[in-house]
Amino acid sequence: YQRRVHGEETEVVATQVVPVREKGPRGMTIDFHVGRTVQYSLLSGALGGAMGYEWYTQIIPAIFGSDASLKAAILKVLLSNAIYLPLGICTIMSATMLLEGVPASQFSSKFRRDFPQAASAGFAFFFPVKIAMFMFVPEAFHVVYLVIFGTAYGIYVSYMVHRADDELICDDSN
């Protein structure tokens, strides 16, 4: 294994054995926990649905009405991504850490490490999803639509939150 540090490659001696579950792209090994991913995805969908119901059925329509134009959709998405998405990510990450028994003393370090990537991935993932939703999906189905996509996003966030502190990159240049 090699670790990339500021563009330089250095050898790393593993101090912990990580179980290999399956092979990833180009034969790289990845650690994938199906149970944890299912738990996180269901939690993401359930909390996202509960939180999103009020936001997408009451608050957004009260502010913008039922305008389905591209301009209105962009404004709705920008507001949603600025307020709702960060709150949702914090809620889901906190609930997951509580369920997994992570000590409260470790919450802030995990948030500092994982929140920026989760937020940027969320903005990138949900921007086109929400544009399509606000323009083409009937308002009555907004929450169901987002729960489906939120569950898929939960799979990615599950992997990201549980990755090793020092990511090891398999040398696949051979």
Side-chain angles (χ1 to χ4, degrees), residues 2-172:
Q2 294 181 340
R3 182 172 65 181
R4 300 187 194 289
V5 180
H6 304 291
E8 299 175 14
E9 295 180 359
T10 58
E11 291 186 10
V12 175
V13 176
T15 58
Q16 178 180 349
V17 176
V18 178
V20 174
R21 306 282 175 155
E22 61 183 86
K23 294 281 186 177
R26 294 180 284 177
M28 294 175 18
T29 56
I30 58 174
D31 182 28
F32 185 76
H33 299 276
V34 174
R36 180 188 70 217
T37 301
V38 168
Q39 172 193 7
Y40 198 88
S41 297
L42 291 176
L43 182 65
S44 175
L47 286 176
M51 290 173 50
Y53 180 78
E54 189 71 23
W55 180 260
Y56 289 106
T57 62
Q58 304 297 318
I59 297 171
I60 292 290
I63 296 171
F64 294 100
S66 59
D67 186 1
S69 68
L70 179 60
K71 180 181 177 183
I74 290 171
L75 291 173
K76 291 175 186 180
V77 171
L78 291 175
L79 180 64
S80 292
N81 283 356
I83 296 172
Y84 177 78
L85 188 61
L87 291 174
I89 291 170
C90 289
T91 301
I92 292 165
M93 285 177 69
S94 298
T96 300
M97 287 188 274
L98 284 171
L99 287 174
E100 293 179 347
V102 173
S105 61
Q106 294 180 10
F107 275 35
S108 66
S109 65
K110 286 185 81 65
F111 273 109
R112 277 194 304 273
R113 183 189 80 186
D114 296 331
F115 182 81
Q117 186 175 359
S120 63
F123 291 136
F125 179 82
F126 282 109
F127 195 86
V129 167
K130 289 178 183 177
I131 290 286
M133 177 187 77
F134 286 126
M135 291 183 69
F136 304 115
V137 176
E139 199 171 284
F141 298 107
H142 283 185
V143 175
V144 173
Y145 176 86
L146 285 178
V147 165
I148 292 167
F149 282 97
T151 302
Y153 174 70
I155 292 169
Y156 166 74
V157 175
S158 172
Y159 169 75
M160 188 212 49
V161 166
H162 292 89
R163 72 185 189 280
D165 286 342
D166 283 328
E167 292 181 318
L168 296 178
I169 303 171
C170 182
D171 183 13
D172 61 345

